[in-house]
mmCIF file of all heavy atoms in Angstrom:
data_model
loop_
_atom_site.group_PDB
_atom_site.id
_atom_site.type_symbol
_atom_site.label_atom_id
_atom_site.label_comp_id
_atom_site.label_asym_id
_atom_site.label_seq_id
_atom_site.Cartn_x
_atom_site.Cartn_y
_atom_site.Cartn_z
ATOM 1 N N GLN A 22 3.979 -11.297 -3.843
ATOM 2 C CA GLN A 22 4.879 -11.367 -4.933
ATOM 3 C C GLN A 22 6.243 -12.013 -4.691
ATOM 4 O O GLN A 22 6.828 -12.331 -5.690
ATOM 5 C CB GLN A 22 5.092 -9.895 -5.380
ATOM 6 C CG GLN A 22 3.812 -9.185 -5.969
ATOM 7 C CD GLN A 22 4.094 -7.869 -6.442
ATOM 8 O OE1 GLN A 22 3.782 -6.846 -5.633
ATOM 9 N NE2 GLN A 22 4.466 -7.594 -7.638
ATOM 10 N N HIS A 118 -1.626 -5.178 0.533
ATOM 11 C CA HIS A 118 -0.974 -4.943 -0.805
ATOM 12 C C HIS A 118 -1.752 -5.785 -1.768
ATOM 13 O O HIS A 118 -1.069 -6.873 -2.048
ATOM 14 C CB HIS A 118 0.575 -5.099 -0.705
ATOM 15 C CG HIS A 118 1.228 -4.632 -1.931
ATOM 16 N ND1 HIS A 118 2.326 -3.827 -1.829
ATOM 17 C CD2 HIS A 118 1.170 -4.807 -3.221
ATOM 18 C CE1 HIS A 118 2.770 -3.387 -3.052
ATOM 19 N NE2 HIS A 118 2.042 -4.059 -3.918
ATOM 20 N N PHE A 119 -2.841 -5.472 -2.133
ATOM 21 C CA PHE A 119 -3.660 -6.073 -3.077
ATOM 22 C C PHE A 119 -4.370 -7.451 -2.722
ATOM 23 O O PHE A 119 -5.495 -7.694 -3.339
ATOM 24 C CB PHE A 119 -2.967 -6.367 -4.490
ATOM 25 C CG PHE A 119 -2.513 -5.106 -5.246
ATOM 26 C CD1 PHE A 119 -1.510 -5.237 -6.170
ATOM 27 C CD2 PHE A 119 -3.095 -3.868 -4.978
ATOM 28 C CE1 PHE A 119 -1.104 -4.164 -6.865
ATOM 29 C CE2 PHE A 119 -2.674 -2.823 -5.679
ATOM 30 C CZ PHE A 119 -1.693 -2.930 -6.701
ATOM 31 N N ASN A 162 -1.863 -0.328 -0.072
ATOM 32 C CA ASN A 162 -1.028 -0.002 -1.195
ATOM 33 C C ASN A 162 -1.936 0.331 -2.502
ATOM 34 O O ASN A 162 -2.863 -0.524 -2.787
ATOM 35 C CB ASN A 162 -0.210 -1.062 -1.500
ATOM 36 C CG ASN A 162 0.560 -0.910 -2.891
ATOM 37 O OD1 ASN A 162 1.490 0.015 -2.861
ATOM 38 N ND2 ASN A 162 0.267 -1.661 -3.844
ATOM 39 N N GLU A 163 -1.761 1.455 -3.145
ATOM 40 C CA GLU A 163 -2.501 1.674 -4.366
ATOM 41 C C GLU A 163 -4.022 1.326 -4.366
ATOM 42 O O GLU A 163 -4.462 0.482 -5.168
ATOM 43 C CB GLU A 163 -1.791 0.916 -5.561
ATOM 44 C CG GLU A 163 -0.328 1.302 -5.764
ATOM 45 C CD GLU A 163 0.186 0.903 -7.085
ATOM 46 O OE1 GLU A 163 -0.339 0.018 -7.717
ATOM 47 O OE2 GLU A 163 1.280 1.536 -7.386
ATOM 48 N N ASN A 278 3.869 6.121 -5.487
ATOM 49 C CA ASN A 278 4.371 5.098 -6.392
ATOM 50 C C ASN A 278 4.312 5.841 -7.717
ATOM 51 O O ASN A 278 3.164 6.214 -8.169
ATOM 52 C CB ASN A 278 3.483 3.901 -6.337
ATOM 53 C CG ASN A 278 3.556 3.130 -5.200
ATOM 54 O OD1 ASN A 278 4.231 3.478 -4.114
ATOM 55 N ND2 ASN A 278 2.808 1.974 -5.061
ATOM 56 N N TYR A 280 5.440 5.550 -11.902
ATOM 57 C CA TYR A 280 6.045 4.699 -12.959
ATOM 58 C C TYR A 280 6.142 5.384 -14.321
ATOM 59 O O TYR A 280 7.151 5.424 -14.967
ATOM 60 C CB TYR A 280 5.383 3.431 -13.175
ATOM 61 C CG TYR A 280 5.614 2.451 -11.939
ATOM 62 C CD1 TYR A 280 4.826 2.527 -10.882
ATOM 63 C CD2 TYR A 280 6.654 1.664 -11.996
ATOM 64 C CE1 TYR A 280 5.153 1.580 -9.799
ATOM 65 C CE2 TYR A 280 6.948 0.814 -11.017
ATOM 66 C CZ TYR A 280 6.154 0.706 -9.853
ATOM 67 O OH TYR A 280 6.520 -0.121 -8.805
ATOM 68 N N PHE A 312 5.278 -1.440 -21.405
ATOM 69 C CA PHE A 312 4.331 -1.281 -20.217
ATOM 70 C C PHE A 312 4.567 0.035 -19.621
ATOM 71 O O PHE A 312 3.730 0.739 -19.110
ATOM 72 C CB PHE A 312 4.589 -2.364 -19.210
ATOM 73 C CG PHE A 312 3.621 -2.455 -18.085
ATOM 74 C CD1 PHE A 312 2.216 -2.738 -18.363
ATOM 75 C CD2 PHE A 312 4.077 -2.163 -16.783
ATOM 76 C CE1 PHE A 312 1.302 -2.719 -17.176
ATOM 77 C CE2 PHE A 312 3.197 -2.107 -15.711
ATOM 78 C CZ PHE A 312 1.821 -2.482 -15.940
ATOM 79 N N GLU A 338 7.377 3.613 -4.271
ATOM 80 C CA GLU A 338 7.860 2.821 -5.447
ATOM 81 C C GLU A 338 8.151 3.705 -6.645
ATOM 82 O O GLU A 338 7.513 4.598 -6.942
ATOM 83 C CB GLU A 338 6.620 1.804 -5.790
ATOM 84 C CG GLU A 338 6.270 0.737 -5.016
ATOM 85 C CD GLU A 338 5.126 -0.176 -5.499
ATOM 86 O OE1 GLU A 338 4.996 -0.369 -6.734
ATOM 87 O OE2 GLU A 338 4.329 -0.640 -4.749
ATOM 88 N N TRP A 376 11.275 -0.062 -6.919
ATOM 89 C CA TRP A 376 10.598 -1.348 -7.204
ATOM 90 C C TRP A 376 11.326 -2.094 -8.253
ATOM 91 O O TRP A 376 11.335 -1.640 -9.359
ATOM 92 C CB TRP A 376 9.112 -1.150 -7.537
ATOM 93 C CG TRP A 376 8.406 -2.487 -7.638
ATOM 94 C CD1 TRP A 376 8.324 -3.253 -8.769
ATOM 95 C CD2 TRP A 376 7.603 -3.128 -6.572
ATOM 96 N NE1 TRP A 376 7.638 -4.439 -8.445
ATOM 97 C CE2 TRP A 376 7.257 -4.331 -7.132
ATOM 98 C CE3 TRP A 376 7.283 -2.754 -5.331
ATOM 99 C CZ2 TRP A 376 6.461 -5.177 -6.293
ATOM 100 C CZ3 TRP A 376 6.633 -3.691 -4.566
ATOM 101 C CH2 TRP A 376 6.234 -4.907 -5.073
ATOM 102 N N GLU A 383 4.329 -10.598 -11.089
ATOM 103 C CA GLU A 383 3.727 -9.178 -11.448
ATOM 104 C C GLU A 383 2.205 -9.418 -11.849
ATOM 105 O O GLU A 383 1.822 -8.967 -12.725
ATOM 106 C CB GLU A 383 4.543 -8.728 -12.711
ATOM 107 C CG GLU A 383 5.672 -7.724 -12.351
ATOM 108 C CD GLU A 383 5.071 -6.523 -11.565
ATOM 109 O OE1 GLU A 383 4.051 -5.990 -11.870
ATOM 110 O OE2 GLU A 383 5.893 -6.108 -10.753
ATOM 111 N N TRP A 384 1.539 -9.884 -10.850
ATOM 112 C CA TRP A 384 0.170 -9.910 -10.880
ATOM 113 C C TRP A 384 -0.508 -10.461 -12.204
ATOM 114 O O TRP A 384 -0.035 -11.509 -12.586
ATOM 115 C CB TRP A 384 -0.492 -8.565 -10.555
ATOM 116 C CG TRP A 384 0.106 -8.077 -9.403
ATOM 117 C CD1 TRP A 384 0.948 -6.890 -9.150
ATOM 118 C CD2 TRP A 384 -0.135 -8.468 -7.940
ATOM 119 N NE1 TRP A 384 1.235 -6.737 -7.793
ATOM 120 C CE2 TRP A 384 0.612 -7.656 -7.085
ATOM 121 C CE3 TRP A 384 -0.807 -9.547 -7.394
ATOM 122 C CZ2 TRP A 384 0.749 -7.789 -5.713
ATOM 123 C CZ3 TRP A 384 -0.825 -9.660 -5.897
ATOM 124 C CH2 TRP A 384 -0.091 -8.833 -5.150
ATOM 125 N N ARG A 386 0.167 -9.859 -14.982
ATOM 126 C CA ARG A 386 1.314 -10.097 -16.075
ATOM 127 C C ARG A 386 2.237 -11.070 -15.707
ATOM 128 O O ARG A 386 3.302 -11.322 -16.367
ATOM 129 C CB ARG A 386 2.025 -8.749 -16.229
ATOM 130 C CG ARG A 386 1.152 -7.704 -16.950
ATOM 131 C CD ARG A 386 1.636 -6.234 -16.590
ATOM 132 N NE ARG A 386 0.996 -5.774 -15.238
ATOM 133 C CZ ARG A 386 1.669 -5.346 -14.231
ATOM 134 N NH1 ARG A 386 3.024 -5.230 -14.373
ATOM 135 N NH2 ARG A 386 1.051 -4.966 -13.191
ATOM 136 N N PHE A 392 11.083 -6.547 -12.795
ATOM 137 C CA PHE A 392 11.358 -5.210 -12.265
ATOM 138 C C PHE A 392 12.527 -5.195 -11.241
ATOM 139 O O PHE A 392 12.799 -4.213 -10.623
ATOM 140 C CB PHE A 392 10.111 -4.788 -11.419
ATOM 141 C CG PHE A 392 9.045 -4.197 -12.261
ATOM 142 C CD1 PHE A 392 8.096 -4.906 -12.923
ATOM 143 C CD2 PHE A 392 8.994 -2.628 -12.312
ATOM 144 C CE1 PHE A 392 7.135 -4.317 -13.658
ATOM 145 C CE2 PHE A 392 7.787 -2.159 -13.068
ATOM 146 C CZ PHE A 392 7.009 -3.029 -13.794
HETATM 147 C C1 NOJ B 501 2.713 -1.226 -8.136
HETATM 148 C C2 NOJ B 501 2.405 -2.303 -7.197
HETATM 149 O O1 NOJ B 501 2.139 -1.839 -5.980
HETATM 150 C C3 NOJ B 501 3.314 -3.562 -7.304
HETATM 151 O O2 NOJ B 501 2.773 -4.640 -6.586
HETATM 152 C C4 NOJ B 501 3.709 -3.882 -8.740
HETATM 153 O O3 NOJ B 501 4.474 -4.859 -8.858
HETATM 154 C C5 NOJ B 501 4.320 -2.655 -9.318
HETATM 155 N N1 NOJ B 501 3.320 -1.679 -9.439
HETATM 156 C C6 NOJ B 501 4.923 -2.900 -10.702
HETATM 157 O O4 NOJ B 501 3.823 -3.297 -11.637
#
Side-chain angles (χ1 to χ4, degrees):
Q22 296 179 268
H118 197 123
F119 293 161
N162 177 70
E163 297 192 349
N278 296 356
Y280 288 88
F312 187 67
E338 286 181 33
W376 186 275
E383 265 304 320
W384 309 111
R386 287 154 278 128
F392 279 83

